[in-house]
Every structure is written in structure tokens, then in C-alpha cells.
Amino acid sequence: MCLPRKCLALVSLLFLGFVVMAQTTLAPTPPMGWNSWNHFYQHVTDADVRAAADAMVANGMRDAGYVYVNIDDGWQGTRRADGTLQSNERFPDMKALADYVHARGLKLGIYSSPGPKTCAKFEGSYGHEAQDAQTYAAWGIDYLKYDLCSFGEILSKAGKGDQAAPAAFALQQEAYRKMHDALVATSRPIVFSLCQYGMSNVWEWGPGLGGNLWRTTGDISDKYDRMALIGFSQAGLSRFAGPGHWNDPDMLEVGNGGMTLDEYRTHMSLWAILAAPLLAGNDLSHMKPEHLAILENKDVIAIDQDSLGRQGDRISALGPYEIWTKPMAHNRIAIALFNRGELAHTLRVDLRQLGVPPAAHIRNVWAGADLPYSKTIDPMIPKHGVVLLLVSR
Ligand code: GLA
């Protein structure tokens, strides 16, 4: 027998243990897959999603680890008289779509908002959380992105204009907790992705609400400046990520056409160093081989998906030249040398200062070749480019 207060503490501890265990099982490494938003926006259709799933099988992405096929905003229709949410005319049969995706060894994700409306003004889950979670589970959904959107207006009112004010903050946490509990109550394992753009240091409380990942920034776009602003601003957040709970600097833009190959390599390298979710955001049915090669590079995926689950961080920044490292399992280490400048630059680096032991094996990831060991290296890094090294002892 335990005293009531001690019992309560024990039960809370057990519950927290259960949440952490469930989280870790759902997303032991950062989720990988595809999301419709960055290319199709709210116009996405059932046919687009099936085509993405087919492409992932045919082009090797599924076998490289990309598993989730995530429908973002734009699938929602109206509610029936009993409140059940239906998909719109572009998605005639969600259950059939989930079956189609599952039959290909992939998983299906969906999108909603804690507010009455989503960001693209479709139906949100406000007041229907438990019902919507049951609907997703019945369809066979495996992943939910839950995007603040119109709930921001409710927060602004509660916080008298300040969405981070204590009253608004409590309301926001309650909204995310409510959907987490509703998902758990379905007994279907559903990855829970929080999207509220990094407000109120979400990385400090997102895991406690059962979030498997949480957006840390506003929206990415297919432009180097925006991608770099978001990606490099992640410095200092590494201690908040780990197996089951990941920082999410938004989806990938690789292949959408707005960046050079060097810039896309920087994008992919930085996301891998950050142990970020790798959700491709392009049209997989019509992609250039050089973009597929970036998404499918085995070494960069291994860095992102490393079983230690540690997020990397910035080690030094000298003007536009930044060095980031990521500790990996089996004493390996990933080192990224970034050039954010407007001209190619030769960077002299003392590998010993980065913890590289003598005679280490060094793989130059994007060159696809090994680099002979030497204490110092001075690679040329293209404008907006990267040299990514995978070092093992
Ligand atoms: C927000 C999110 C995006 C996307 C859109 C959909 O802007 O940050 O990732 O989901 O909403 O409307």
C-alpha cells in the first residue's frame, strides 16, 4: 500500500514512462516520407497521393527509408449531421486510399488543426477531437500533423493579443494534449506531429504532451535564403531532440526547382545533421535523377537516421563558414563544413580539433569517395555549398 500522495506520484511517473515508451516506439528515428504541401498545396488529390506512393516504390525511396505518405491541408469536406468529418470530392474514399498505400508497404498521414478551420480554411478539429481521431483510426491513418492555424485567434483572445501569455499558453497545451489523448484512445499507433511554428519554446514541452515531432519555425520555401535562415537558426536546440521526440525545421524542398544542386545538398546535409524529419515535398512522379540522388544518398540518410538519435549542432562560425557536427553510434561522427557565402571558398580545417582520431576512416559523402586521412584538410566549398564527412574510427 502507498500513501495517497506517493501513489499519485507513482501513477504519474508510470504514466510518463508509458508516454515516453510509446513515443520512442512510434518514432525511434526521425520520421521519413513525403508530404503533399510544398508542391501540391491545397489542391492535392487522391490520384496525386497514389502517384506519390507508386513513385516511392518504383524509384527506391521506400527502400531507402521513406515510409510516410502524408496528405497535408486540403482533403477535408463537410461534417455529417452527427459530426463525423468526411473527405471532400478530391478524396472519394479515404479507407481505400489507406489500403492502397499500405499494400505498398507504406503508411498514410493526414492533417488537421486544433482550431475550427485549418490554415487553408478547411474544416478543423475544434470540438471534434475524439470523433476525428476515431475517424482517422477507422480509415487506417498512421500519422497526424496538427497545425495551430485558426486556434491562434482563440489564443490571441485568451491572451489579450499575446498568444504566449500564460492563459493562452495553457489553452494551447490543453488543445494539443486533447488530440494526443484522443489518438491514444483509438489504440492505433499514430505519429503525432505538432505544428505551431516553434512558439513558446515548444521543444521544452512538446515531448511531455506526447509529440513525436514539433515544428520549430515558420514555413520553409523553395529559396536558399529562406531554407538557410530556418536551418541554420536551429543551432542550440540539439539537447531537446532524441528517440521518439524530434525538432522539425519543416519539410524538404529538394526537387521543387528553386535551388541549385549545391543548395539542395546543403539543405539535405543540414537536415541530416539536425536529425530532422526527412519529408520530401516535391512531385515524386516527375523528378530529375539528380534530385532523387540527393534524397536517396545512403550516407546522408544514415547520418539523419543514426540509432543514437542525437541531434547535431554548430561547433564554430567564422563569417559565412560554419562547422556543424553530429555524434553517431559506434563512435562515428558526421562533420558538415558549410559555406553560406557568395563565393567558393577553401576552408582549412584541423580535424583533430573536431575529435577525429588519427587514421580515422573519412567518407566524403557528396563526392561518394573516401578521403585519405590527414590532420588537416582544406577542401574547396562551393558558394552556398557543403562538404559533408562521415568519420568512423
Ligand atoms: C501552415 C503549415 C504548413 C502547411 C500549411 C497548410 O502554413 O506551416 O506546413 O501545413 O499550413 O495550410
Side-chain angles (χ1 to χ4, degrees):
M1 281 292 281
C2 52
L3 296 168
R5 262 181 52 200
K6 276 197 176 154
C7 275
L8 202 66
L10 198 69
V11 169
S12 318
L13 213 67
L14 280 172
F15 179 72
L16 198 70
F18 170 75
V19 170
V20 170
M21 229 169 68
Q23 263 173 332
T24 310
T25 319
L26 266 177
T29 58
M32 287 178 70
W34 172 83
N35 175 294
S36 54
W37 184 255
N38 286 352
H39 182 83
F40 294 96
Y41 299 98
Q42 67 271 36
H43 312 295
V44 63
T45 66
D46 174 286
D48 297 330
V49 176
R50 286 174 193 242
D54 287 341
M56 283 161 83
V57 175
N59 68 16
M61 282 178 72
R62 178 195 60 186
D63 295 341
Y66 293 86
V67 169
Y68 290 98
V69 181
N70 292 350
I71 311 167
D72 206 278
D73 209 353
W75 63 268
Q76 310 88 329
T78 51
R79 291 190 184 275
R80 288 204 194 100
D82 69 356
T84 314
L85 184 57
Q86 306 165 95
S87 47
N88 62 33
E89 64 291 348
R90 290 194 305 278
F91 288 88
D93 188 342
M94 273 298 185
K95 173 83 177 71
L97 178 56
D99 290 346
Y100 186 91
V101 167
H102 291 154
R104 281 149 187 77
L106 298 163
K107 296 179 182 215
L108 188 63
I110 211 158
Y111 167 99
S112 190
S113 169
K117 292 283 172 211
T118 64
C119 294
K121 309 273 182 280
F122 289 83
E123 195 65 20
S125 291
Y126 187 64
H128 293 274
E129 295 81 2
Q131 202 172 21
D132 287 358
Q134 293 296 341
T135 302
Y136 305 148
W139 284 340
I141 296 296
D142 307 291
Y143 184 116
L144 172 69
K145 172 173 168 185
Y146 208 41
D147 190 355
L148 195 69
C149 303
S150 63
F151 200 76
E153 292 155 27
I154 297 173
L155 297 184
S156 288
K157 275 188 207 138
K160 300 192 171 55
D162 176 5
Q163 291 191 17
F169 180 52
L171 214 58
Q172 182 185 167
Q173 289 200 314
E174 192 189 311
Y176 279 99
R177 193 191 302 279
K178 202 183 257 182
M179 183 48 98
H180 172 257
D181 293 351
L183 294 175
V184 170
T186 69
S187 300
R188 186 176 173 85
I190 299 178
V191 170
F192 190 35
S193 156
L194 273 54
C195 179
Q196 47 80 282
Y197 335 114
M199 277 166 37
S200 311
N201 293 354
V202 61
W203 40 86
E204 289 173 1
W205 50 269
L209 297 187
N212 294 112
L213 58 156
W214 46 85
R215 280 271 298 276
T216 51
T217 69
D219 289 13
I220 195 168
S221 76
D222 189 21
K223 293 192 173 66
Y224 173 77
D225 287 348
R226 181 67 187 155
M227 179 280 293
L229 184 73
I230 284 179
F232 290 108
S233 76
Q234 303 299 292
L237 291 187
S238 57
R239 70 196 165 96
F240 299 103
H245 54 280
W246 307 101
N247 288 312
D248 172 11
D250 209 356
M251 302 163 300
L252 296 170
E253 291 283 5
V254 175
N256 277 330
M259 294 186 231
T260 65
L261 290 180
D262 281 328
E263 291 168 343
Y264 280 142
R265 285 187 199 109
T266 291
H267 184 11
M268 190 76 181
S269 306
L270 187 49
W271 263 236
I273 289 281
L274 293 171
L278 297 179
L279 296 169
N282 58 323
D283 180 0
L284 303 181
S285 314
H286 303 96
M287 70 190 297
K288 293 189 173 154
E290 53 271 34
H291 294 144
L292 181 61
I294 292 177
L295 288 173
E296 278 188 358
N297 182 294
K298 283 198 168 47
D299 292 322
V300 81
I301 291 175
I303 292 171
D304 181 80
Q305 294 288 300
D306 181 63
S307 60
L308 198 58
R310 296 269 304 274
Q311 177 172 332
D313 223 319
R314 182 159 55 202
I315 296 298
S316 72
L318 198 62
Y321 315 118
E322 298 197 8
I323 303 181
W324 289 60
T325 63
K326 178 185 201 274
M328 295 172 65
H330 313 298
N331 287 323
R332 289 178 307 163
I333 175 170
I335 300 175
L337 313 173
F338 293 105
N339 174 6
R340 299 178 65 178
E342 298 304 315
L343 295 171
H345 180 76
T346 299
L347 190 67
R348 190 167 184 78
V349 180
D350 186 335
L351 289 178
R352 292 167 303 182
Q353 285 180 2
L354 298 177
V356 176
H361 177 261
I362 305 175
R363 176 103 183 134
N364 183 339
V365 169
W366 294 115
D370 292 345
L371 202 70
Y373 176 81
S374 92
K375 290 176 194 146
T376 54
I377 55 170
D378 39 18
M380 194 281 290
I381 318 174
K383 158 191 169 174
H384 294 178
V386 61
V387 168
L388 181 63
L389 306 174
L390 178 50
V391 178
S392 32
R393 283 160 208 258

